[in-house]
Amino acid sequence: MYASLKPEAVRLRKRGYSVRAIEMRLSVPRSTLSGWLKSVPLTEAQKVVLKRKADHGLVQARKKAVQWHNGQKEARIAEAARQGAQVLDKLPTHPEIQELALAKI
């Protein structure tokens, strides 16, 4: 099924493309590519470039993860505040009772 794409995959790898980039470009499964490309050598310069790109991608992924986690934390805090406000709204309006209820928290 993918065999006709093997020469193109090998050509791209020899030019220094990552397996992931070839996968995206040719729509060939990574497992198939890894078998095809395991004997294709890379120059040291190509290895350095691929490593630098991988490191950069990891940094970007970590930044996105931090943003997502911070957004989730903000949502949890907002929900806790909303629930707290609902509880306080149910308390009698007498100041001494409210003070006593808040002191228990």
Side-chain angles (χ1 to χ4, degrees), residues 15-32:
R15 291 184 61 202
Y17 281 71
S18 68
V19 174
R20 174 85 170 122
I22 297 169
E23 174 190 17
M24 298 298 291
R25 187 171 185 154
L26 300 180
S27 298
V28 175
R30 199 174 310 174
S31 58
T32 301

Side-chain angles (χ1 to χ4, degrees), residues 15-75:
R15 291 184 61 202
Y17 281 71
S18 68
V19 174
R20 174 85 170 122
I22 297 169
E23 174 190 17
M24 298 298 291
R25 187 171 185 154
L26 300 180
S27 298
V28 175
R30 199 174 310 174
S31 58
T32 301
L33 289 172
S34 67
W36 290 352
L37 304 175
K38 65 182 171 189
S39 63
V40 177
L42 292 173
T43 67
E44 287 304 314
Q46 288 171 328
K47 290 177 185 178
V48 167
V49 169
L50 289 174
K51 174 78 168 112
R52 186 171 43 239
K53 286 181 181 180
D55 290 347
H56 177 73
L58 184 58
V59 168
Q60 296 307 310
R62 286 179 178 161
K63 286 180 182 179
K64 285 182 182 179
V66 167
Q67 289 174 342
W68 183 85
H69 284 286
N70 287 344
Q72 293 295 306
K73 182 178 179 180
E74 287 175 15

